[in-house]
């Protein structure tokens, strides 16, 4: 068997390859654009194990290895770096370090979503970017209106508000800015509506997302994003581990018997954490229990802390919805059939 430690970069990769039968170690630098990397891996026997850090710009590499029948392990970049004792960092050292972790069975392998799920993530990210662009354009147009003494807030985007905005007497370049922003806004609205429909269709195809959408405040976007991020819920033993994975757990710097907690770690997925915050605010209006907790925390700790706490509570609720759905249900007893006899366990005597 051949094991390869790969230090992956956008244009090249440094590898350290070990042949388990002969014990030979080979170090090479493979270029990507010239096709050298693809030719190298195509010549290797199927089943070769390659380890690399989690990084971007590697979708083509993962797809190529899968087509060639190789086994790719992706590891936690922070844990891989923490396992390196020496402070000298070079590409060759990193490749040898990854190879060493693979051989010693200490490689911090992480879960990787299926290709179709990763493609669905592109839909959610694209929609999020367009919505943020639209918000930015609306803020700019609203600033132009307020500069002329008109503050309509949401009413500015009604038919009457739009006519009032277009009728403002502005300077030459301010008028050009207003015209361009309105044109881009008109193009964005139907595009976002189309993406919203696609998100709803994707959410309806996933049973996990449909279950999550039954919770107050959770719509198609939040339900689909949460289901994609969590994946198999059994990989999280407790809700605390999921909360930590989302970055909603407090940072900690405790020592000497004193516990010091700080703000949330924010080490998880930014988009899902943002969506949970929005969904939690809506759920706090409809759910009596969440509303009571939100009002109490808001009075004691302030609005910001209360919103984060509600996002955490909502994440825990959604976790248990998925956990209960994943538990195997006992077979239903036929109506009229006798109940199974209770067999008492006999303990051995000593």
């Amino acid at each position: 068997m051949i094991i390869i430690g790969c230090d992956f970069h956008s244009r090249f990769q440094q590898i350290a390859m070990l042949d388990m039968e002969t014990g030979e170690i080979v170090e090479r630098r493979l270029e990507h654009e010239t096709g050298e990397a693809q030719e190298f891996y195509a010549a290797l026997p199927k089943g070769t194990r390659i380890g690399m850090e989690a990084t971007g710009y590697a979708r083509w590499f993962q797809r190529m290895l899968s087509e060639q029948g190789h086994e790719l392990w992706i590891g936690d970049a922070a844990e891989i770096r923490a396992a390196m004792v020496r402070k000298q960092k070079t590409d060759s050292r990193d490749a040898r370090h990854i190879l060493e972790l693979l051989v010693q069975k200490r490689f911090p392998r992480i879960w990787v979503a299926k290709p179709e799920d990763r493609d669905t993530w592109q839909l959610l990210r694209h929609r999020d970017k367009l919505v943020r662009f639209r918000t930015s354009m609306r803020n700019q147009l609203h600033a132009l209106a307020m500069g002329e003494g008109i503050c309509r807030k949401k009413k500015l985007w009604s038919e009457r508000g739009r006519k009032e905005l277009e009728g403002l007497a502005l300077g030459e370049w301010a008028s050009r800015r207003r015209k361009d922003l309105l044109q881009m806004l008109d193009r964005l609205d139907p595009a976002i509506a189309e993406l919203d429909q696609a998100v709803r269709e994707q959410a309806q195809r996933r049973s996990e997302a449909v279950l999550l959408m039954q919770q107050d405040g959770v719509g198609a976007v939040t339900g689909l994003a949460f289901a994609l991020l969590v994946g198999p819920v059994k990989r999280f033993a407790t809700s605390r581990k999921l909360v930590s994975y989302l970055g909603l757990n407090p940072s900690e710097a405790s020592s000497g018997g004193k516990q010091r907690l700080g703000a949330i770690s924010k080490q998880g997925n930014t988009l899902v954490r943002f969506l949970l915050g929005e969904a939690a605010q809506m759920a706090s209006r409809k759910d009596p229990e969440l509303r009571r907790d939100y009002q109490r925390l808001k009075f004691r700790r302030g609005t910001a802390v209360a919103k984060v706490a509600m996002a955490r509570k909502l994440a825990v609720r959604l976790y248990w919805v998925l956990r209960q759905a994943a538990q195997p249900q006992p077979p239903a007893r036929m109506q009229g059939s006798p109940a199974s006899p209770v067999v008492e366990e006999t303990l051995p005597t000593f």
Side-chain angles (χ1 to χ4, degrees), residues 120 123 197-211 213 219-221 223-225:
T120 307
L123 167 63
Q197 180 61 28
V199 170
R200 287 191 291 268
E201 293 176 357
Q202 290 289 336
Q204 291 297 328
R205 296 175 187 173
R206 299 176 181 271
S207 58
E208 299 87 354
V210 174
L211 286 174
M213 289 164 59
V221 177
L224 179 60

Side-chain angles (χ1 to χ4, degrees), residues 296-349:
R296 184 179 68 252
L297 285 172
K298 181 180 178 181
F299 176 77
R300 291 175 51 205
R301 303 290 302 278
T303 303
V305 174
K307 289 181 179 180
V308 174
M310 292 305 102
R312 177 186 175 119
K313 284 181 175 290
L314 181 61
V316 173
R317 279 194 180 188
L318 299 182
Y319 167 80
W320 283 109
V321 169
L322 296 179
R323 277 294 298 269
Q324 293 174 1
Q327 291 179 354
Q329 299 294 332
R333 185 166 59 88
M334 297 295 293
Q335 185 176 3
S337 61
S340 301
V342 178
V343 180
E344 295 183 358
E345 183 180 1
T346 303
L347 297 178
T349 58

